[in-house]
Amino acid sequence: MSATTAHSGRDDGIPAGRPVVFRDGLVLTMDDRRSVLPGADVLVVGERIRAVGHRLEVPEGTLEIDAGDGIVMPGMVDTHRHLWQTAMRGYGADWTLTQYFVWYYLEWGRVFRPQDIHAGNVLGAVEALDAGVTTTVDWSHGLRTVEHADAAVDALEAVPGRFVLAYGNIQQGPWEWSATPEFRDFVSRRMHGGGDMLGFQMAFDVTGDPAFPERAAFEVARDLGVPVTTHAGVWGATNDDGIRLMYDHGFMTPQTVYVHAATLTADSYNRIAATGGSVSVSTESEQSAGQGYPPTWRLRRHGIPVSLSMDTSVWWSGDLFSAMRATLGADRSREHMEAHAGQGTVTHCHLRAEDVVEWATRGGARTLGLDSAIGSLEPGKKADVVLIKNDRSPVMFPLLNPYGHVAFQAQRGDVHTVMVDGRVVKHEHRLLGVDLARARRSVEETVGYLRETLGEEAWAKGMNPDVPETKIQDNPYTYTDWDARDARWKGAPPSPAPEAG
Ligand SMILES: [Zn+2]
């Protein structure tokens, strides 16, 4: 049925257009009622789900995938991932946020060439598919020229997943790069006609400078009709001032995505809730880099919609199993600590496994305005489907609590089959239509170039860089002199303390 060609290392697998049925799986539909269907089938014809139910009749020639002993669920959605940084996989495992800013923003982000963006993007995009993440927002803030942006999109188009390019550039003010004719030209050349396979956002942060220079970039986004995604509530970088400026100038919309939103007061959460935006929570990132305590406990109280994200593989993994697990842990850990501080005991956890599975699927779809297309397994929706099944694993049985199994038991190695837009891109634990050998060669070339450019001493030192005597701790953005020192966030501690307001 499938063949591997010796030269490319690419396995094209199952012909596109052939109907596929997942047979006899435990189906998590993630529909409005969160219906769970044991022993059920999911039939896909063309790019859409035709039917979900028991013992479905299927068209002649349908490929049957045995989902017995497995879980069938919607493809996962990562709403904030710096794919270009995958070329530096694991390099910054021990970094703090300040060291990250030193390495990427201040010192070395500017040496990445278009082909380096391409190499990181391809690897990160393939990694996402392998882990069952069928939609990824590429928060691409290394685009210091339009050639870099073209390389980023070339990479996304070369990988058979669903993507959103979130265009950014940490080396220049957003009011500068978004005003250039080259940027407008790029948008009209590359960002139309991709339908729901390739979306577009603008990605930049709001420093809190009262002159609000970011206003010009928000106006470009409004003019283009595209959402803005912004790192908000990040200790030492962005705070309530940025949210207030966005609010006062009318730039907080239901499409706006606030990434992290960890170091904020109740005023800001009220503004986000009132304007209908959502928060992309990167729990592993917030726990170890220092943006603030993972905020799901506060977002729940304010009724703010949540999606999950992995941020960057320069530190962490790129799979949402990690995100679901870490998010449950952080939310529950804080809940227990608050109860103990009042001599109490939590008897029932607020955050349930089914909640994080919803955030990882439908929550992401809603965040991206794609809820009518993806995010659940329902007839008529686009077929982004994941089968979790591993007959060789002692962890795949017994299968008693499907949401708990996804959140706490399964991992990327258990992802058996992945389908995007009706196309099988991974089957029987093997990626199809992906040239992994070529991706590896490109990343090795990038790593070689970077080592040579930095020199061996700087390369080794970069894993634990010194923090120079600059303003970086109060302003990581090299394109502005705005110094947040005098406006340092003065709210209640963002550590796991009871909410003050
Ligand atoms: Zn980020």
Side-chain angles (χ1 to χ4, degrees):
M1 175 196 65
S2 61
T4 305
T5 58
H7 297 296
S8 70
R10 174 175 162 151
D11 185 344
D12 285 320
I14 297 156
R18 185 177 175 189
V20 175
V21 65
F22 295 83
R23 280 283 191 213
D24 196 30
L26 180 51
V27 179
L28 305 185
T29 65
M30 304 317 294
D31 64 10
D32 288 342
R33 293 166 47 234
R34 293 186 181 173
S35 305
V36 177
L37 308 174
D41 308 337
V42 177
L43 172 64
V44 175
V45 177
E47 61 200 29
R48 293 184 189 274
I49 296 168
R50 171 71 62 85
V52 181
H54 294 94
R55 290 177 292 283
L56 296 176
E57 290 200 22
V58 301
E60 183 84 19
T62 297
L63 174 72
E64 302 250 350
I65 295 177
D66 177 9
D69 300 320
I71 296 171
V72 184
M73 63 181 281
M76 290 174 267
V77 181
D78 183 335
T79 54
H80 154 242
R81 177 104 188 270
H82 307 293
L83 286 178
W84 65 292
Q85 297 178 348
T86 313
M88 296 295 289
R89 183 191 297 290
Y91 180 81
D94 295 318
W95 282 352
T96 60
L97 194 60
T98 304
Q99 290 176 307
Y100 167 82
F101 286 144
V102 168
W103 203 89
Y104 271 111
Y105 284 53
L106 198 62
E107 293 182 342
W108 302 115
R110 70 191 71 234
V111 307
F112 282 70
R113 306 162 299 174
Q115 62 260 48
D116 305 318
I117 303 288
H118 189 277
N121 265 29
V122 167
L123 182 60
V126 168
E127 176 189 4
L129 286 188
D130 186 57
V133 178
T134 50
T135 302
T136 302
V137 174
D138 177 23
W139 222 102
S140 195
H141 57 357
L143 307 182
R144 60 190 172 84
T145 72
V146 164
E147 288 69 43
H148 290 71
D150 277 311
V153 177
D154 288 345
L156 301 180
E157 289 180 345
V159 178
R162 203 180 289 281
F163 298 100
V164 174
L165 178 75
Y167 191 117
N169 175 8
I170 50 177
Q171 306 297 340
Q172 205 180 23
W175 55 90
E176 295 171 300
W177 58 256
S178 69
T180 62
E182 292 80 12
F183 172 72
R184 289 284 187 150
D185 177 60
F186 170 84
V187 175
S188 58
R189 273 192 299 112
R190 303 301 300 267
M191 287 299 133
H192 292 291
D196 53 30
M197 291 301 290
L198 182 62
F200 187 62
Q201 298 177 335
M202 285 172 62
F204 57 88
D205 299 346
V206 182
T207 63
D209 178 349
F212 194 40
E214 297 85 359
R215 177 193 189 118
F218 279 108
E219 282 170 349
V220 171
R222 187 156 65 191
D223 186 39
L224 292 171
V226 299
V228 169
T229 177
T230 185
H231 292 117
V234 172
W235 179 267
T238 58
N239 58 32
D240 285 326
D241 294 334
I243 297 287
R244 195 179 319 107
L245 285 163
M246 288 175 66
Y247 185 82
D248 289 347
H249 291 85
F251 293 119
M252 292 177 76
T253 77
Q255 289 75 41
T256 310
V257 182
Y258 307 86
V259 176
H260 303 304
T263 303
L264 294 171
T265 64
D267 278 350
S268 288
Y269 294 117
N270 287 337
R271 288 183 164 105
I272 294 170
T275 51
S278 66
V279 171
S280 174
V281 177
S282 309
T283 304
E284 275 200 343
S285 175
E286 288 129 27
Q287 285 181 316
S288 120
Q291 294 92 340
Y293 199 85
T296 53
W297 61 284
R298 301 189 78 176
L299 302 174
R300 287 193 282 104
R301 291 178 186 183
H302 288 272
I304 295 170
V306 175
S307 62
L308 299 183
S309 57
M310 287 312 301
D311 204 346
T312 169
S313 294
V314 75
W315 269 283
W316 307 286
S317 77
D319 72 81
L320 289 184
F321 297 109
S322 305
M324 290 186 275
R325 193 174 302 190
T327 301
L328 278 174
D331 195 286
R332 291 175 176 181
S333 169
R334 199 212 145 272
E335 189 175 25
H336 291 302
M337 284 179 73
E338 183 180 354
H340 299 176
Q343 298 298 316
T345 299
V346 174
T347 58
H348 297 70
C349 288
H350 267 96
L351 193 64
R352 314 296 292 177
E354 65 186 84
D355 297 324
V356 293
V357 176
E358 164 126 359
W359 289 346
T361 53
R362 201 127 183 226
R366 288 196 185 102
T367 286
L368 302 180
L370 291 174
D371 190 45
S372 62
I374 60 168
S376 60
L377 301 180
E378 297 178 86
K381 280 207 170 180
K382 293 293 189 75
D384 289 7
V385 186
V386 170
L387 169 60
I388 298 169
K389 172 183 163 101
N390 188 347
D391 293 338
R392 288 184 295 275
S393 169
V395 183
M396 282 309 295
F397 60 89
L399 234 175
L400 306 178
N401 175 340
Y403 295 113
H405 214 99
V406 170
F408 277 134
Q409 306 295 326
Q411 53 180 304
R412 60 187 312 142
D414 301 320
V415 174
H416 176 284
T417 297
V418 180
M419 173 181 271
V420 183
D421 211 46
R423 174 177 173 183
V424 177
V425 300
K426 185 181 182 185
H427 187 47
E428 292 174 343
H429 304 279
R430 284 193 314 153
L431 287 163
L432 307 176
V434 166
D435 191 341
L436 200 58
R438 189 170 166 197
R440 177 196 290 261
R441 282 196 300 277
S442 299
V443 165
E444 286 173 350
E445 205 275 318
T446 284
V447 169
Y449 155 75
L450 289 169
R451 288 185 85 128
E452 196 179 307
T453 303
L454 271 67
E456 282 306 313
E457 196 182 334
W459 175 267
K461 187 71 196 161
M463 293 189 201
N464 188 23
D466 294 331
V467 177
E469 289 290 326
T470 67
K471 57 189 169 63
I472 193 127
Q473 287 186 63
D474 297 291
N475 167 29
Y477 307 101
T478 53
Y479 51 77
T480 173
D481 288 330
W482 167 246
D483 187 336
R485 203 168 325 207
D486 297 326
R488 191 185 284 275
W489 187 78
K490 298 181 186 73
S495 60
E499 185 174 13

